[in-house]
Amino acid sequence: MRMRKKKNLDVRFERCASVMVSDPRAVRGKWREKFGNDNPIRLEIGCGKGRFILETARRNPDINFVAIEKEEGALIMATEKAIAEELPNLRFLSFDAAALNEIFAPGEVSLIYLNFSDPWPPNRQRKRRLTWRAFLAVYDEILEEEGAIFFKTDNQRLFEWSLGELCQNGWLLQNISLDLHNSDYDNIMTEYEEKFSAQGYRIYRVEARKRIEKNLLK
C-alpha cells in the first residue's frame, strides 16, 4: 500500500539535513571520511520508517550505518527519529539499489541488510526483486572480502526463490531459519515484521556470504 504524501516534506527534510546525504555519488570511496572514523560500514536497503536501523545503530556505536529508502513519507519519519536521537553513526539517503556501485567503491561495505523487500510476486517482475542476480552482482562488487547479506522476509515463495538465486550465483548460505521468532537468534524487528508476526506469519532469514572464488565453482 502506498503511503499518503506527508505535508511540508521539503521543510522537514531541510531540518534533517545533518543525517541526510544529498549527493551520495560525491562520497563514493569516502564514506569513512563522511563519518569521521575508520569503523565498518553497513547498509540497509529499504529502511522504511527506521525501526530496525535505529535500534541497530543504538546497539552498535562502533559501526557506521547507511539507510536507503525511496518512499519519501517513510524516509522523513526515519530521519526525524534519527535527528531526535542524535545518532552520529547513522546516515540516510534516497537512491536506486541497482546503482549502488555508483555511490560505494569496491569493498567499501561490510554488510547489507535486506529486510522485508517487496516480493514482486508475478514471475515476470522477478528482475525487480532485490535478490535478483543483477542486484547480487552489485552487492558483490561493493562488499568487502568477508562481506555478507542478511535477508529477512515473511514471504515463503520469495525466500525459497532467493535461496536458489543466491546459490546459483555463488553465495555461501549460512544460519538459515525457517521460523526466526522461534529460534534463539538475537533479532531486531522491523515495523513490517512486527505486523506480519502478529498475524501469524513465519519469518524466514538467511545469511549469504560473498561469492565463492570462481575456481571453486568449477
Side-chain angles (χ1 to χ4, degrees):
M1 180 182 295
R2 183 177 296 274
M3 295 184 66
R4 293 182 180 179
K5 189 172 181 63
K6 303 293 183 183
K7 294 181 179 179
N8 304 317
L9 275 178
D10 291 343
V11 173
R12 292 168 69 183
F13 275 123
E14 286 180 11
R15 293 172 182 163
C16 297
S18 62
V19 297
M20 291 286 297
V21 181
S22 59
D23 186 9
R25 287 184 176 87
V27 192
R28 187 177 188 268
K30 304 175 183 177
W31 281 96
R32 286 179 173 81
E33 294 179 28
K34 182 74 173 178
F35 283 101
N37 58 58
D38 290 326
N39 294 337
I41 296 169
R42 296 185 181 182
L43 170 66
E44 184 184 15
I45 303 174
C47 70
K49 299 175 185 177
R51 174 175 173 173
F52 172 86
I53 203 66
L54 285 160
E55 180 60 25
T56 305
R58 286 186 209 109
R59 295 189 189 185
N60 299 276
D62 56 346
I63 297 174
N64 299 320
F65 295 92
V66 180
I68 294 179
E69 176 55 55
K70 294 181 71 175
E71 213 297 312
E72 288 187 335
L75 181 60
I76 190 60
M77 296 176 73
T79 54
E80 286 177 340
K81 293 172 187 174
I83 286 288
E85 294 202 36
E86 299 182 349
L87 294 168
N89 60 330
L90 177 58
R91 295 291 185 275
F92 294 86
L93 58 97
S94 178
F95 203 77
D96 186 351
L100 288 175
N101 51 0
E102 296 180 9
I103 62 174
F104 292 101
E108 196 167 18
V109 176
S110 64
L111 180 63
I112 295 174
Y113 299 104
L114 299 177
N115 293 321
F116 298 87
S117 309
D118 194 325
W120 295 104
N123 195 48
R124 66 180 181 275
Q125 299 272 25
R126 63 189 181 280
K127 292 184 179 180
R128 305 183 71 172
R129 298 169 189 163
L130 292 181
T131 46
W132 169 250
R133 60 197 60 181
F135 288 103
L136 296 180
V138 174
Y139 307 154
D140 184 43
E141 181 178 344
I142 66 174
L143 280 169
E144 65 184 22
E145 186 174 350
E146 300 296 326
I149 300 167
F150 286 7
F151 174 59
K152 285 197 296 184
T153 182
D154 65 301
N155 190 299
Q156 183 178 353
R157 289 186 178 181
L158 174 63
F159 187 71
E160 293 172 350
W161 180 88
S162 298
L163 294 184
E165 195 71 5
L166 287 160
C167 286
Q168 290 172 29
N169 288 276
W171 293 74
L172 284 170
L173 305 187
Q174 299 175 323
N175 300 323
I176 298 174
S177 176
L178 303 181
D179 192 359
L180 179 60
H181 290 181
N182 285 314
S183 72
D184 57 1
Y185 181 78
D186 184 18
N187 180 53
I188 298 175
M189 286 203 289
T190 74
E191 294 91 352
Y192 279 123
E193 184 173 356
E194 182 177 45
K195 174 184 176 181
F196 295 145
S197 181
Q199 294 174 352
Y201 290 95
R202 282 190 181 185
I203 305 302
Y204 304 88
R205 181 185 181 275
V206 65
E207 298 175 10
R209 296 290 163 183
K210 195 175 174 183
R211 75 167 39 199
I212 310 167
E213 292 297 327
K214 291 183 180 179
N215 60 350
L216 296 180
L217 292 173
K218 293 180 181 179

